[in-house]
Amino acid sequence: MDMPLKKAGADPATANDYSSQYALIGAGPMGLAMAKTLIEQGIGFTGFELNSDVGGLWDIDGPKSTMYETAHLISSKKMTEFADFPMDAEVAEYPSHRELKSYFRKFAEHFGIYRHFRFETEVLSAVPLGKSGEGWRVTWREADGTEHSAEFAGLLIANGTLSEPNMPEFKGSFSGELMHSSAYRDPEIFKGKRVLIIGAGNSGCDIAVDAIHHGKSCDISMRRGYYFVPKYVFGRPADTMGGAIKLPMWLKRRVDGMILKWFTGDPAKYGFPKPDYKLYESHPVVNSLILFHAGHGDITVRPDIDRFEGHTVHFKDGSQADYDLVLAATGYKLHYPFIEKSLLNWQGDAPHLFLNCLHPERDDLFLLGMVEASGLGWQGRHEQAEMVARYITGLKKGIMAAKALREEKAAGFTRATGGMNYIDLPRMAYYVDKATYRNAVTSWIAALKGGGK
């Protein structure tokens, strides 16, 4: 059952002083984790959320949600949930978006987060008042259209990474329906249609299975190969199978590669291209249904697209086919429209930040949730939030560990890849190695708790 909307206690239109507070943008999983740790550390903040409730993209009715009706977690609830707020026993092992929306609302209620947020509120701009520590001017618009502006001590950005569609440009023009997966909601859209899915990531494969069940026919266009991981191994969620012994990557690849062969076989025999990179150098596809349907002849694997011509799609191998609907599951771009890109230290396809969240020069600007790793879960993001909150309080108290962290991030750094050579794609530009990343973050948390390092 949906919980009633909770508004923030103070009215920004009449409040005079936010100068000691932080502005927190976003109430999705990362924003909630950040809000919880700010409360625990006694840091004042006001949250801003465009939707009418918490949950981010997991609320399918939210104005920026890219969710679809058949969507479920690709990781198990045990490996995804917040450690100090486990999901209810009756929640499925791979929860639906509706179960997760309820989970986040319960989380916000339990930790007293609602009263800190202003909902149906859009942040329009965030501008620094000067150098680090001199604060930010934040301007926002309420649901009734009124705009307000106030000065804040700092800025915490947690507006998510999966809301701005990455729509490629195609040669020619398509006479049928062309859409991005961000606009996809219900498989009824495929009824009676010849469908082409572009992109075979996790969403692309999920949506392809929907199209197989509801469309007249379904093909999938792939630029590169993927490693396919089943959701269950020996009757257990696959991501819970890792033992207590941490294997070196060369051995982990060998062991896990053998397990994949046992449970998924060789996708190439169904027409899928072979990956041109090693296992774990890109995010695997957690979906064995696509292989099931390929084995039954329900889907045809096509190469990359050359051009459109009316209803005909020409592929780069010289083949062609006619379609009524083309859906591009081509991912998302990082998007922070309310702040100048230069302020976030962008390098290439993503901001370059220490441990993906700490600005090298500013101590009043933090970018939360811009981190991906296989198996990181929301607990890994909660740790990121805790490190940030403890860093803020540590600087205020003048503890040695906070000063050491400030010096380390200012001295230059590389992304926490653990030596992995991730493939050169925009979606991999902020990918990290889970063990390397969590070890670094939890080490700083321990140091900030103890005061030294």
Side-chain angles (χ1 to χ4, degrees), residues 92-94 229-239 241 263 286 288:
E93 284 180 324
Y94 290 97
V229 177
K231 283 196 168 181
Y232 288 93
V233 173
F234 299 121
R236 292 172 52 189
D239 59 358
M241 294 296 290
F263 284 88
V286 187
S288 46

Side-chain angles (χ1 to χ4, degrees), residues 237-254:
D239 59 358
T240 67
M241 294 296 290
I245 300 173
K246 303 301 179 185
L247 301 177
M249 183 52 67
W250 68 269
L251 183 55
K252 180 175 172 60
R253 280 199 181 109
R254 183 173 296 178

Side-chain angles (χ1 to χ4, degrees), residues 2 22 27 32 56 72 80 95 106 129 140 146 165 169 186 203 224 257 262 270 293 310 317 359 395 404 442 446:
D2 288 351
Y22 279 72
L32 294 178
H72 291 71
T80 310
K106 290 176 181 177
L129 298 174
W140 65 91
T146 59
E169 293 183 1
D186 194 293
S203 292
R224 62 176 47 82
W262 289 345
Y270 306 125
H293 285 292
D317 67 347
H359 195 281
L395 286 178
T442 54

Side-chain angles (χ1 to χ4, degrees), residues 307-344:
R307 70 187 189 279
F308 292 145
E309 187 178 0
H311 280 273
T312 304
V313 177
H314 296 265
F315 300 97
K316 288 190 174 178
D317 67 347
S319 64
Q320 64 185 59
D322 293 341
Y323 302 97
D324 304 300
L325 188 155
V326 174
L327 184 146
T330 47
Y332 298 88
K333 298 180 288 187
L334 296 176
H335 190 53
Y336 310 105
F338 43 80
I339 185 172
E340 291 289 339
K341 289 186 74 170
S342 60
L343 293 170
L344 292 176

